[in-house]
Amino acid sequence: MASLLTGERGTIKPKANFDAKEDAVALRKALEGLGTKEKVLIEILTTRSSSQRQLICAAYQEATGRTLLEDIKGDTHGSFEALLVALITPPALFDCHEVMRAMKGPGTNEDLLIEIFASRSNAQISALNEAYSQEKEKKLTSDLKKELSGDFSKALLLLAEGKREESTAVDQGKAKEDAKTLYNAGEKKWGTDEKKFIDILCNRSIAQLKQTLVEYTSISGKTLQQSIESEMSGELERLLLAIVKCVNSVPAFFAELLYKSMKGCGTDELTLTRIMVSRSEVDLLDIRAEYKKLYESSLYSAIKSELGGDYRGCVMAICGGDD
């Protein structure tokens, strides 16, 4: 887990000989000159780590009396603006804003909530909860409760508490027992006992669940993913599948979402931006490798052919290279 947090598999690393004041001056010139110099914005903001970008924001405000956020919003627009804003927003706050967006207005964006809560660690979820309380002066879980219902609500709220077991030790006996419980609650039963699925998939540690998936296949002759697909439907099915996919491989889970965001007519820029920024210092190199394995073309070339303009240039810079 340590490697995930230190970002050895990210495409964006902290810059050596970093000077926040110097960067702030360069950004100011790029934003204040005649016509914004987008290349300078891309070059600086995609080659500094998130914490370095926070220091640049502070230096910028000190030098100009304005926030970098205001100036970016005033001088850029559309997907490119949203991408730059995502880059200068601290990760927990960015997750928080995305969750707020998922609950805004009529209807709820369940897929956005599923993506975030199925893929984030306890530490990330706890930071997200804290950011949410500060922004809204309300608890995230109480707002989620109002938005969601049924078994989907129960499962998502368990994840949103960020209390998944964290031990890396695996209890083989328990994995066998859990696998049997899941088999009896689904494949073997007329109608499915969703509560058992929720209890096991939302509480057990990732290491423990990995072993449970192995045991499940040897009991049932099918993967748990196949069983969930045949037994369930709707948002609960999508959530439990996301958990199982993340247990198998978080990078493969994100590679699939990136592929879908660019497939068909029109690109889902919001999803693309969120994944590229939130994984850029975590595991984007692994996501690139999985993308290549799954889709036989590189993520970089997909971005190059699907996107346009400065948005494309910035996403390619975050991607960091071809495979």
Side-chain angles (χ1 to χ4, degrees), residues 19 22 83 139 154 200 238 255 260 281 319:
D19 184 335
E22 202 176 284
L83 179 54
K139 276 186 73 171
K154 281 181 202 141
I200 291 170
R238 299 204 304 277
K260 285 180 177 162
E281 288 179 69
C319 185

Side-chain angles (χ1 to χ4, degrees), residues 98-132:
E98 290 293 281
V99 168
M100 280 159 63
R101 188 165 62 76
M103 295 193 282
K104 210 175 166 180
T108 307
N109 183 339
E110 286 94 358
D111 287 325
L112 203 172
L113 295 175
I114 288 170
E115 178 201 312
I116 287 183
F117 290 107
S119 67
R120 301 301 191 255
S121 66
N122 284 354
Q124 286 171 316
I125 290 173
S126 144
L128 158 59
N129 275 297
E130 204 171 303
Y132 194 92

Side-chain angles (χ1 to χ4, degrees), residues 130-319:
E130 204 171 303
Y132 194 92
S133 305
Q134 282 175 353
E135 289 275 293
K136 301 274 286 183
E137 297 184 343
K138 273 192 283 191
K139 276 186 73 171
L140 170 57
T141 44
S142 55
D143 279 354
L144 284 168
K145 249 182 213 138
K146 287 181 211 141
E147 288 285 323
L148 312 171
S149 59
D151 287 325
F152 176 65
S153 172
K154 281 181 202 141
L156 200 96
L157 283 164
L158 269 178
L159 297 177
E161 283 172 3
K163 293 195 179 123
R164 182 182 288 289
E165 294 159 6
E166 287 197 308
S167 168
T168 49
V170 175
D171 178 337
Q172 198 134 9
K174 191 171 193 174
K176 275 199 171 84
E177 196 182 305
D178 280 349
K180 211 169 278 167
T181 302
L182 291 170
Y183 179 63
N184 291 337
E187 286 291 335
K188 211 171 160 209
K189 191 172 184 286
W190 180 256
T192 309
D193 184 349
E194 284 88 358
K195 283 185 188 53
K196 297 265 194 334
F197 278 81
I198 293 168
D199 177 47
I200 291 170
L201 291 175
C202 298
N203 285 310
R204 302 284 187 270
S205 74
I206 300 301
Q208 187 63 31
L209 284 173
K210 264 192 197 318
Q211 188 58 38
T212 304
L213 296 185
V214 173
E215 300 294 343
Y216 185 89
T217 306
S218 71
I219 292 171
S220 101
K222 285 165 97 169
T223 65
L224 184 58
Q225 182 171 335
Q226 289 166 331
S227 293
I228 291 171
E229 283 166 344
S230 63
E231 293 287 318
M232 295 187 193
S233 62
E235 54 238 15
L236 180 65
E237 177 197 7
R238 299 204 304 277
L239 175 59
L240 297 180
L241 281 177
I243 294 170
V244 169
K245 285 174 182 178
C246 284
V247 168
N248 279 320
S249 165
V250 170
F253 170 72
F254 281 117
E256 184 188 343
L257 290 180
L258 284 170
Y259 177 75
K260 285 180 177 162
S261 77
M262 293 184 277
K263 196 174 138 243
C265 60
T267 303
D268 175 358
E269 277 113 351
L270 292 168
T271 298
L272 185 63
T273 293
R274 181 175 58 253
I275 296 173
M276 294 301 287
V277 173
S278 64
R279 309 315 290 185
S280 61
E281 288 179 69
V282 184
D283 53 3
L284 193 48
L285 289 171
D286 296 327
I287 293 170
R288 273 169 39 182
E290 288 295 339
Y291 193 97
K292 181 89 191 228
K293 206 159 77 183
L294 289 165
Y295 305 110
E296 292 174 358
S297 84
S298 69
L299 176 58
Y300 192 80
S301 62
I303 290 164
K304 200 172 177 178
S305 65
E306 289 299 322
L307 311 179
D310 294 313
Y311 179 64
R312 171 172 79 169
C314 197
V315 176
M316 283 167 71
I318 295 168
C319 185

